[in-house]
Amino acid sequence: MIQTLAFYLFAFLVLASGVFTILARNPVHSVLWLILAFFNAAGLMILVGAEFIAALLVIVYVGAVAVLFLFVVMMLDIDFAELRAGFVKNFPLGIAIALVLLAELILGIGAYRAGALELGVPDGSAAPLMDRSNLENLGTVLYGKYLFLFEAAGIILLVAMVGAIALTHRGRPEGARGHQDIGKQVRRRPGEATEMKKPEIGKGVEL
Amino acid sequence: MQLQSSLALIAPEIVLSLAGLALLLIAAWSRNAGRLVTILAAVALGGASVLVAPALCSGAMGPDTLAFEGQFAADAFASFAKILIFVSAIACLMVAPRFFDRDGAIRAEYPVLMLFAALGMAIMVSATDFMTLYIGLELNSLAAYVLASFMRSDDRSAEAGLKYFVLGALASGILLYGISLVYGFTGTTSFEGARAAMSGELSMGMLFGLIFVLAGLAFKIAAVPFHMWTPDVYEGAPTPVTTFFATAPKVAAVALTARVALDAFGMQMDAWRQIVIFAALASIVVGALGAIGQSNLKRLLAYSSINNVGFILIGLAAGTAAGVSAMLVYLAIYVAMSLGSFVAVLMLRNAQGEQVEGLADIAGLSSTRPLLALCLAVMMFSLAGIPPLFGFWGKFVVFWAAVEADLVALAAIGIAASVIGAFYYIKVVKVMYFDEPAGVVTGRSDWAHWLILGVTTAAMSPLGYLLTRVLGDLADRAAEALLFVA
């Protein structure tokens, strides 16, 4: 009972915030609605027992991706009136794409109903029972069987970082604006960087 | 226990990755450490080659060579390819400092990226699982994209990097799509499992997966019809990097293709054989015809490498142990020829010390730099496969394997097309020896360049035939290890 209630609550909120993501006039509001949608999707994931995906949704999508979106939206001066100007012109194309997606959905559901796909049953009763959580299972696979590939993937990320820096970083000569002297930064002590002041009330601080 | 034996098998890869990490730290802490890091990287690659050698000499094969539950194989076949890869990477490190000296000292990222690229290639040739394959391929490609655009101030270099990146990403996508189809229809990512699942009739989905995987790999080895990027990237990338691209990644991608075709898709030889035969013939013909109009030496050599990949694929098309062995012999000879000819191009400098790449600029090279002209002429004749030189041997074994595998028509067309190829190789020799001296190429060359050019020229001269026994033996062992499962 409580699960059904929670499901409908989360599902309704996902749909509603999805709709508002599109309808909101202010792009910042759109991103905020999107974050709400992510949160509720995470709730749905917890309901079906996929707590790892729920955690990923919150950590990765809300914590990183959505915040990145927010920054981009705030930094770029997007004129939404201009973006909407092409709406009528692109309307037939949009409808066509929507129809294709709808047809795919119907085909997928039809195949599922006909028993051609094995996805388990909607109530999750056919899902394999495990004595450990998803997180533990994923961990044993990642750091056990696939340890080698996992570490190699780490090296790929390192190479990507080295490459990005090698291609774009230009060292600034000493004395130039923006020159970074790491040794000087490290040597700096709190005493040199901060000053204690005791301003008298009503007089302000002299810097 | 199992982890320990796995770690022992990947010792060369561990050495390379630790060396890469340590060199990154050295580069971060000391300014202008480029030369030191280059030397240390070459030492690390040499150490890794020494670690790899025993597996090749003993002809290691079978379940003992599998690490990490069959995701990685350190057998004789992988070792053969790894030694070729490491040696060519060392050569590309040796020639680099002098090249970069013109625009300030060599930056330490160059050797570090080379090291990681070599690591990626080592993983590629040892891959016995589609995931290992992809990880190795991406590690290598990512380092290669950066290396291609390493000369930041040069527009052509930036263009080469961008082109390589966009097309490489597309090819990776195609490859991944193929892998996902194979996984979907066989239920496993391991080569062994895919082989077992494909032993019956080939379903439509598997066939699509096989074609997509081969198409993605064909891009990496620059086989026609996925060769379009090669001339532009080879021309634009800094010459030491081009030398690298023409040697090590080619070896890795060809070895990987051979393992995928003969191991994972080994039960469906008829399905991929026609694709490989088409790619081989098309590469030979397009490589030969495309090179004719080129006036830039690096572009010309790029078409030459496309042409050579065609010959290498003939060995694979044979699909027998003899074919694989011939393919490996050809690969070894091709690596030596490519190293020699690109290093010779690297040594062409004008009075201001700038690189010279035009075909017209080397007119009459025989009178200004007779020794260099002689070495380049040996390389060109060898690439053309003219008999007294060693390049002929590679072509001979490949065609012999094809004839033995009843692919007489393929061999005949290949031989006919190699005559077309001979035209432009000999044209280079003609320009050097019989044209009016242009007098552009002067200046002196580094000892490292002379060393590599001397060694490769000696190997390609008739003296090279002394190597046939050793090379043939090692290649036979490697081929046997690859076909062990069959």
Side-chain angles (χ1 to χ4, degrees):
Chain A
M1 179 62 206
I2 183 99
Q3 275 153 331
T4 320
L5 209 67
F7 171 77
Y8 280 110
L9 176 72
F10 286 137
F12 171 74
L13 281 174
V14 169
L15 289 179
S17 44
V19 167
F20 281 116
T21 308
I22 303 171
L23 293 183
R25 288 194 168 270
N26 187 333
V28 177
H29 292 175
S30 278
V31 176
L32 292 175
W33 281 115
L34 189 65
I35 292 175
L36 186 64
F38 284 147
F39 264 116
N40 287 294
L44 284 176
M45 290 298 163
I46 286 182
L47 278 184
V48 296
E51 78 280 356
F52 180 64
I53 295 182
L56 273 192
L57 263 177
V58 174
I59 296 169
V60 177
Y61 281 87
V62 177
V65 176
V67 173
L68 199 70
F69 276 172
L70 208 54
F71 272 120
V72 170
V73 165
M74 284 170 162
M75 277 181 187
L76 297 180
D77 189 18
I78 304 170
D79 186 355
F80 274 75
E82 199 180 311
L83 279 182
R84 290 213 178 95
F87 181 75
V88 179
K89 204 179 75 184
N90 293 325
F91 188 69
L93 183 69
I95 288 292
I97 291 174
L99 283 179
V100 169
L101 289 177
L102 185 70
E104 281 182 354
L105 267 180
I106 291 171
L107 279 177
I109 293 172
Y112 176 51
R113 281 278 163 80
L117 295 174
E118 274 185 47
L119 296 172
V121 289
D123 64 355
S125 61
L129 288 172
M130 286 176 283
D131 49 350
R132 291 187 299 184
S133 66
N134 288 331
L135 218 53
E136 267 183 286
N137 280 319
L138 271 171
T140 21
V141 172
L142 268 190
Y143 293 96
K145 188 179 176 192
Y146 295 115
L147 175 71
F148 175 66
L149 297 179
F150 188 74
E151 296 295 330
I155 292 185
I156 293 185
L157 292 181
L158 176 73
V159 167
M161 195 174 75
V162 171
I165 294 173
L167 288 183
T168 55
H169 177 73
R170 281 164 212 276
R172 290 166 208 274
E174 216 153 324
R177 198 177 141 77
H179 170 74
Q180 188 183 20
D181 185 347
I182 296 170
K184 198 175 155 197
Q185 289 177 339
V186 173
R187 278 197 303 277
R188 204 164 144 152
R189 292 282 157 256
E192 306 159 32
T194 53
E195 241 180 288
M196 293 296 283
K197 292 263 187 190
K198 281 216 173 126
E200 281 174 47
I201 292 160
K203 285 209 173 162
V205 190
E206 212 166 288
L207 288 171
Chain B
M1 195 54 219
Q2 202 189 11
L3 182 67
Q4 265 174 10
S5 61
S6 292
L7 288 178
L9 284 171
I10 63 162
E13 283 74 22
I14 293 181
V15 166
L16 285 185
S17 23
L18 289 183
L21 297 177
L23 292 182
L24 262 186
L25 289 181
I26 295 181
W29 252 277
S30 61
R31 236 167 263 266
N32 305 325
R35 211 168 258 272
L36 173 73
V37 172
T38 309
I39 294 168
L40 290 177
V43 170
L45 283 165
S49 318
V50 171
L51 283 174
V52 161
L56 176 59
C57 296
S58 66
M61 64 175 96
D64 290 345
T65 58
L66 291 180
F68 294 102
E69 305 185 25
Q71 292 162 23
F72 185 97
D75 56 7
F77 176 74
S79 306
F80 189 96
K82 276 181 206 173
I83 287 183
L84 279 184
I85 290 165
F86 295 161
V87 168
S88 37
I90 292 174
C92 299
L93 283 174
M94 279 170 69
V95 297
R98 172 70 199 261
F99 176 85
F100 288 107
D101 272 351
R102 253 191 74 78
D103 321 279
I106 179 171
R107 287 189 291 145
E109 286 89 352
Y110 177 83
V112 170
L113 286 171
M114 283 282 225
L115 213 52
F116 282 128
L119 171 66
M121 288 183 274
I123 296 176
M124 272 163 82
V125 297
S126 279
T128 48
D129 189 294
F130 280 110
M131 284 198 284
T132 322
L133 177 164
Y134 185 70
I135 294 269
L137 195 77
E138 275 310 284
L139 181 52
N140 165 36
S141 304
L142 217 54
Y145 302 146
V146 179
L147 285 172
S149 45
F150 202 70
M151 299 274 275
R152 294 190 301 195
S153 50
D154 183 5
D155 284 347
R156 282 192 312 164
S157 177
E159 184 196 328
L162 193 65
K163 261 191 188 148
Y164 194 21
F165 175 67
V166 171
L167 289 175
L170 182 70
S172 290
I174 292 173
L175 181 72
L176 268 184
Y177 186 52
I179 291 175
S180 71
L181 279 175
V182 170
Y183 175 57
F185 282 88
T186 63
T188 172
T189 57
S190 80
F191 287 2
E192 207 187 340
R195 183 188 176 81
M198 284 186 169
S199 53
E201 205 187 331
L202 196 67
S203 72
M204 189 61 113
M206 286 184 197
L207 182 65
F208 265 89
L210 183 150
I211 292 171
F212 275 104
V213 168
L214 285 182
L217 292 176
F219 174 88
K220 300 291 174 189
I221 57 175
V224 176
F226 302 99
H227 65 289
M228 299 80 71
W229 57 278
T230 325
D232 290 343
V233 172
Y234 280 28
E235 185 195 356
T239 312
V241 176
T242 312
T243 316
F244 184 62
F245 285 171
T247 53
K250 277 263 162 94
V251 176
V254 166
L256 178 66
T257 311
R259 204 192 278 275
V260 169
L262 291 167
D263 192 352
F265 302 149
M267 305 301 278
Q268 299 292 344
M269 203 175 278
D270 293 334
W272 57 259
R273 199 183 229 172
Q274 42 188 324
I275 302 173
V276 172
I277 288 177
F278 169 76
L281 284 181
S283 303
I284 294 174
V285 172
V286 171
L289 294 178
I292 291 175
Q294 302 303 328
S295 59
N296 181 298
L297 280 171
K298 279 161 85 180
R299 280 186 90 83
L300 193 145
L301 286 172
Y303 277 105
S304 150
S305 85
I306 296 171
N307 179 261
N308 276 296
V309 159
F311 292 115
I312 293 170
L313 288 180
I314 288 183
L316 177 59
T320 56
V324 176
S325 165
M327 185 190 89
L328 291 174
V329 169
Y330 196 109
L331 258 183
I333 296 174
Y334 163 75
V335 163
M337 290 191 295
S338 288
L339 275 180
S341 37
F342 275 107
V343 170
V345 171
L346 198 56
M347 288 162 78
L348 302 172
R349 289 164 176 274
N350 63 15
Q352 285 81 45
E354 286 160 347
Q355 293 293 139
V356 174
E357 293 166 5
L359 187 58
D361 296 330
I362 62 165
L365 191 68
S366 62
S367 55
T368 46
R369 302 282 300 274
L371 197 55
L372 184 57
L374 178 70
C375 291
L376 195 53
V378 168
M379 288 302 153
M380 288 299 138
F381 277 126
S382 187
L383 277 166
I386 305 229
L389 298 163
F390 201 36
F392 166 72
W393 181 249
K395 289 206 167 58
F396 176 75
V397 288
V398 164
F399 287 132
W400 187 250
V403 170
E404 280 196 325
D406 286 337
L407 297 172
V408 181
L410 175 63
I413 300 175
I415 293 170
S418 71
V419 177
I420 310 175
F423 167 75
Y424 61 86
Y425 294 125
I426 295 176
K427 189 171 130 196
V428 174
V429 178
K430 175 234 162 202
V431 168
M432 286 193 300
Y433 277 85
F434 299 110
D435 281 9
E436 278 300 305
V440 177
V441 179
T442 48
R444 292 161 46 80
S445 299
D446 199 27
W447 65 267
H449 294 174
W450 276 119
L451 178 70
I452 291 171
L453 188 59
V455 169
T456 50
T457 308
M460 286 309 109
S461 69
L463 285 178
Y465 285 92
L466 298 173
L467 294 172
T468 44
R469 273 292 287 282
V470 183
L471 197 59
D473 267 3
L474 293 177
D476 281 345
R477 264 179 222 164
E480 206 183 327
L482 177 68
L483 293 170
F484 177 71
V485 276

